[in-house]
Amino acid sequence: MSGRSIRHLYVHLPFCASRCGYCDFVTVVGRQGQHGAYVDALLAELRLEGGVLAPRLESVFLGGGTPTLTEPRELERLLRSLPPADEVTVEANPETVTPALALLLRECGVTRVSLGAQSFQPRLLSVLDRHAGAAEVRRAVYTLRDASFDNISFDLIYGIPAQSAADLDADLSEALALEPEHLSCYELEAKPGTRFTHAHGAELARQAETMESYFERIVARLTEAGYRWYETANFCRPPSAAEGRDLRSRHNLAYWRGRDYLGLGIGAVSTIDGRRWRTTPRLGRYLASLRVGERPERELETLPERVRRSERVLLGLRLDEPLSLDDLAEAVDPAALERLERLGLVRRAAAGDELALTERGRFLGGGVTAELLA
Ligand SMILES: C[S@@+](CC[C@H](N)C(=O)[O-])C[C@H]1O[C@@H](n2cnc3c(N)ncnc32)[C@H](O)[C@@H]1O
Ligand code: SF4
C-alpha cells in the first residue's frame, strides 16, 4: 500500500431533503437524527484508512447527496478533522446556502463551492423535481460572494425533456451573468431504475441526436464568453493577468489524470495501487461496522495493468492537454491512430510522444477514444 502518498480525498455525505427523480447517487432522505453518527463513522473510517494520505493533500471533495444539508455542527466537526488541502470543494444545493452556512464553510477552510443549479427555467426544474429556482441560485451566489468565496462552480444539466434550444441559450445566459469561475454541463442521463427513466426514458433516447447540437452550442457559447473548455463537460475562466489562478477542478483533474484517491463514506470509491473498492451503499451496515471499529463491507476489484492503461487513455483524452504516451503506447492501436489522425480527429504532438483529440474529435468524444484502444 502507498505509505502517506495519496493526495486526493473524496468524502460522501448522502443526506438529501428529497430525492430528485433522475438521480441515482447514493442518497438518504430524512434521518436527521443520524448525521452525528454518520460523521462519527466517517472519522472512524478516516482513522482506519487515513494512513495512506499525505500530510498535506492537493484536494478534498465533499460530495453527495447534499453535503450542505448535514447538521451544521456535524459538518463543522467533519471539516475541522480532515487533513489540510490546497483545494477543498463542497457540493451545495442552492436552497441550503445561508449566510451562516457560507461563513461556516469559509471558516473551516473550504475554498470552492459547487452549486447544483441544473437549469434556470421553472418549467424544466419542475420536470427534474428540483425545488430551487433561478432566484435561489442567484441568492446563493451573492451569499457566497459576501463570504469571500472566489471559486464558485455551477452544475448545469441539458437535454431535459421539452428543453428547446432557446431554453438552453437562456440557461447559459443566466449562468454567465452570475460569472462563475467554473461550469460543469452534463447531458441528462436516463439512469436505470429511476422514476425519471420510467417516465421519460423513451423521450431521452429519441432526442439523442439533437443533443449533439446542444453540446456544440454549449461549447461555442462558453468559449466565446472566454471560458476554457478544459474537459469534455467542464469549463473554467482562464487565469487573470493579475492573479494567474488555475481554475480547473484539481480534484477532478486527478481522476482524469489517473491519480490514486481515497474515498470515505457510503458508496464511496477508492483507487489505490491498482486496487479499486466501493464501500457498501447501505447506511445501517456502514454505521454498525464502524461503531465497533471495523472496516465496512466493500466490493474490491483488482485492476490489471492493461485495464489501468486503457482507463488512463480514455480519461486523459477528455482533457484539452496532450496525453503523454510514455508508458501508455501499448494501450493504443497504431493502425487506428493513423486512421483517426487522417480523419482529423486525433493529433500527435512532441514528435509523436503525446496525443490529443482535435476539436472535432472532442465533439465525438468517447467513440473516438474507444476506437483508439488496442
Ligand atoms: C452528486 S450530484 C448532486 C449534487 C447536489 N445534491 C445537487 O443536486 O445539486 C452532482 C451532479 O450530478 C449531476 N447529475 C445527477 N444525476 C444526473 C443525471 N441523471 N444525468 C446527468 N447529470 C446528473 C447534477 O448536475 C448534479 O449537480
Ligand atoms: S440530485 Fe442532488 S439533491 Fe437530488 S437526490 Fe441527487 S444528490 Fe440529492
Side-chain angles (χ1 to χ4, degrees), residues 279-339:
T279 302
T280 177
R282 299 172 69 165
L283 180 63
R285 291 191 176 207
Y286 177 80
L287 295 179
S289 302
L290 285 157
R291 205 177 296 127
V292 294
E294 278 174 14
R295 255 188 188 160
E297 276 171 32
R298 47 168 67 163
E299 274 170 32
L300 177 69
E301 185 190 357
T302 303
L303 304 170
E305 197 49 49
R306 190 181 48 78
V307 173
R308 292 168 74 178
R309 278 199 293 261
S310 302
E311 247 183 29
R312 278 180 53 206
V313 173
L314 276 171
L315 293 172
L317 287 178
R318 294 178 63 94
L319 294 170
D320 66 349
E321 61 188 18
L323 175 71
S324 165
L325 286 178
D326 268 356
D327 53 343
L328 296 177
E330 274 178 51
V332 174
D333 171 2
L337 174 54
E338 219 162 273
R339 195 169 56 248

Side-chain angles (χ1 to χ4, degrees), residues 16-189:
C16 286
S18 60
R19 192 169 179 88
C20 311
Y22 59 90
C23 173
D24 77 342
F25 282 86
V26 174
T27 60
V28 174
V29 174
R31 315 267 193 108
Q32 276 86 344
Q34 289 187 311
H35 293 194
Y38 187 73
V39 169
D40 285 343
L42 283 174
L43 297 181
E45 198 184 9
L46 177 63
R47 282 191 294 277
L48 281 174
E49 309 292 351
V52 297
L53 293 174
R56 185 172 179 90
L57 306 180
E58 268 183 53
S59 69
V60 166
F61 193 103
L62 264 63
T66 309
T68 47
L69 192 74
T70 313
E71 178 63 38
R73 248 180 323 144
E74 300 305 333
L75 183 59
E76 175 166 6
R77 187 158 69 92
L78 171 66
L79 282 166
R80 292 199 188 278
S81 310
L82 297 176
D86 298 338
E87 176 190 273
V88 181
T89 303
V90 172
E91 275 185 344
N93 286 35
E95 68 276 19
T96 62
V97 179
T98 60
L101 176 93
L103 203 64
L104 182 157
L105 297 179
R106 196 76 209 148
E107 286 179 348
C108 293
V110 174
T111 62
R112 185 171 181 274
V113 176
S114 171
L115 276 178
Q118 320 308 352
S119 170
F120 291 83
Q121 319 305 316
R123 185 171 50 81
L124 301 179
L125 287 165
S126 107
V127 176
L128 292 177
D129 298 329
R130 299 288 295 184
H131 301 295
E136 272 88 10
V137 177
R138 272 184 224 114
R139 198 188 34 73
V141 171
Y142 302 147
T143 305
L144 291 167
R145 294 292 190 214
D146 282 348
S148 324
F149 277 98
D150 60 3
N151 198 350
I152 297 177
S153 179
F154 291 165
D155 284 346
L156 293 180
I157 287 185
Y158 68 97
I160 305 164
Q163 180 185 33
S164 64
D167 287 329
L168 176 63
D169 289 344
D171 271 351
L172 294 171
S173 297
E174 299 236 22
L176 287 171
L178 292 167
E179 303 186 342
E181 279 70 26
H182 187 281
L183 278 155
S184 304
C185 299
Y186 302 117
E187 181 178 345
L188 182 57
E189 265 183 74

Side-chain angles (χ1 to χ4, degrees), residues 194-216:
T194 56
R195 268 200 323 273
F196 186 86
T197 298
H198 192 65
H200 302 286
E203 210 168 336
L204 288 197
R206 273 199 303 278
Q207 66 178 23
E209 264 179 40
T210 323
M211 286 312 108
E212 282 170 27
S213 70
Y214 276 35
F215 179 42
E216 286 175 19

Side-chain angles (χ1 to χ4, degrees), residues 158 168 172 185 212-235 359 362-363:
Y158 68 97
L168 176 63
L172 294 171
C185 299
E212 282 170 27
S213 70
Y214 276 35
F215 179 42
E216 286 175 19
R217 221 175 166 98
I218 292 170
V219 173
R221 186 73 196 284
L222 295 183
T223 51
E224 269 160 29
Y227 284 74
R228 171 175 171 187
W229 179 27
Y230 76 96
E231 192 270 346
T232 311
N234 285 277
F235 304 81
E359 183 169 299
R362 293 186 80 197
F363 280 123

Side-chain angles (χ1 to χ4, degrees), residues 354-371:
E354 291 181 346
L355 204 63
L357 298 188
T358 61
E359 183 169 299
R360 266 184 62 216
R362 293 186 80 197
F363 280 123
L364 299 175
V368 175
T369 318
E371 218 181 305

